[in-house]
Amino acid sequence: MSRPVDPPGAPSPDLAPPRAEDALFMRRALGLARRAERRGEVPVGAVVVCAGRVVAGAHNGPIGARDPTGHAEIRALRRAAARLGNYRLPGCTLYVTLEPCTMCAGALVHARVERVVFGAADPKSGALGGAYWLFDQARLQPPLRGHRGGAGRPRRPAVARLFRRAALNRAFISARNR
């Protein structure tokens, strides 16, 4: 179930329109991504927002936790579910700095998250159009809606800078340990 990937910056009919608060919450996710970077993780941050307030946030942590499911999205969903006392998160929005992978996208569907806002497309493993399109809107009840960028401004440059810095740090550490 894949569909062609839109050219960078092109609007997609499958993605929800931006909202005024998107930029604010995406900045929070970027802050968490920076924290992941400082800890030697892939710099991804995620924030779950329900009824206009942040209920949970997390950064990537699979390396430090030795947990392949320790992606920022999964960790944020787990914290939000615990805080709200329900594994379903209807009416909530997930803000994440990088397009969710297939594992995280599946968790979003099961959690019944209403909306996903991601900062940068992931052409390697993104599941909301970057590499795959896993959501046949007619089959999902309720449907999951996604949006690229924050308040109409793509966050790709900020996310790209984080990834470049993280790659340079990993290369330096690898060279030093030889």
Side-chain angles (χ1 to χ4, degrees):
M1 276 230 270
S2 64
R3 70 170 182 75
V5 177
D6 297 324
S12 171
D14 303 306
L15 300 179
R19 296 181 183 165
E21 67 271 14
D22 288 351
L24 170 73
F25 295 124
M26 186 57 73
R27 279 193 297 274
R28 298 274 300 264
L30 278 167
L32 290 166
R34 288 183 191 100
R35 186 178 301 167
E37 178 191 25
R38 286 191 301 271
R39 294 184 175 168
E41 299 283 351
V42 175
V44 178
V47 174
V48 177
V49 175
C50 300
R53 66 183 183 91
V54 174
V55 294
H59 59 75
N60 250 16
I63 298 169
R66 295 172 184 84
D67 176 6
T69 67
H71 291 197
E73 301 94 308
I74 300 291
R75 296 174 76 200
L77 290 174
R78 286 177 178 156
R79 290 175 183 171
R83 183 161 294 142
L84 297 174
N86 191 345
Y87 72 106
R88 301 276 195 218
L89 303 171
C92 294
T93 298
L94 177 86
Y95 293 87
V96 62
T97 56
L98 185 66
E99 179 181 3
C101 69
T102 55
M103 173 185 69
C104 294
L108 292 165
V109 170
H110 287 287
R112 305 270 170 93
V113 170
E114 179 180 311
R115 189 167 171 265
V116 179
V117 179
F118 58 93
D122 183 356
K124 183 177 170 186
S125 60
L128 286 175
Y132 311 100
W133 184 251
L134 298 183
F135 303 110
D136 179 348
Q137 299 295 335
R139 292 184 179 186
L140 295 178
Q141 296 298 323
L144 175 65
R145 295 176 300 162
H147 174 68
R148 193 177 306 146
R153 289 186 29 220
R155 304 304 302 184
R156 185 162 175 77
V159 175
R161 280 192 302 275
L162 280 173
F163 274 94
R164 274 194 302 275
R165 240 186 357 247
L168 288 172
N169 288 341
R170 281 193 297 277
F172 174 75
I173 291 167
S174 176
R176 191 177 62 191
N177 291 334
R178 285 189 190 154

